[in-house]
Amino acid sequence: MPSASSRHPSRDTRVLVTVNALPLAVGVLLSCSTPLGEISVYGRLTLGIAWALVQLAVLIGGTWWYEYRAASSFEPTSATAASRSAGGAW
């Protein structure tokens, strides 16, 4: 049976999913409607290319944020030692 904490996603997980779902939804919208992606934003920069750059920034920022959060959270030393002695994987 899953623990209570695993049944309810943490606030960090909800933020990460929300931040990544919005660019995905807009990307799908732009890919389904080519005239939207062809709108000029600045000079030869189109809305489609600008949105691709935004998606790249979200990917890099989300990866950095995830790595930062994963590195700052830790298991208590006793739980780590107990799982290793019980044959748990790293």
Side-chain angles (χ1 to χ4, degrees):
M1 177 176 222
S3 67
S5 62
S6 68
R7 283 183 272 167
H8 301 292
S10 68
R11 180 181 179 275
D12 294 337
T13 303
R14 288 191 305 265
V15 168
L16 186 64
V17 169
T18 302
V19 165
N20 285 293
L22 180 62
L24 176 64
V26 173
V28 168
L29 177 67
L30 286 174
S31 68
C32 292
S33 176
T34 54
L36 280 177
E38 294 173 356
I39 295 172
S40 180
V41 175
Y42 180 78
R44 292 181 54 186
L45 180 67
T46 64
L47 187 59
I49 296 297
W51 194 253
L53 293 173
V54 168
Q55 283 184 310
L56 179 62
V58 167
L59 173 70
I60 291 170
T63 302
W64 173 83
W65 178 76
Y66 177 81
E67 288 291 326
Y68 173 77
R69 296 293 296 200
S72 66
S73 64
F74 60 91
E75 264 186 63
T77 308
S78 60
T80 304
S83 69
R84 287 185 186 153
S85 65
W90 285 76

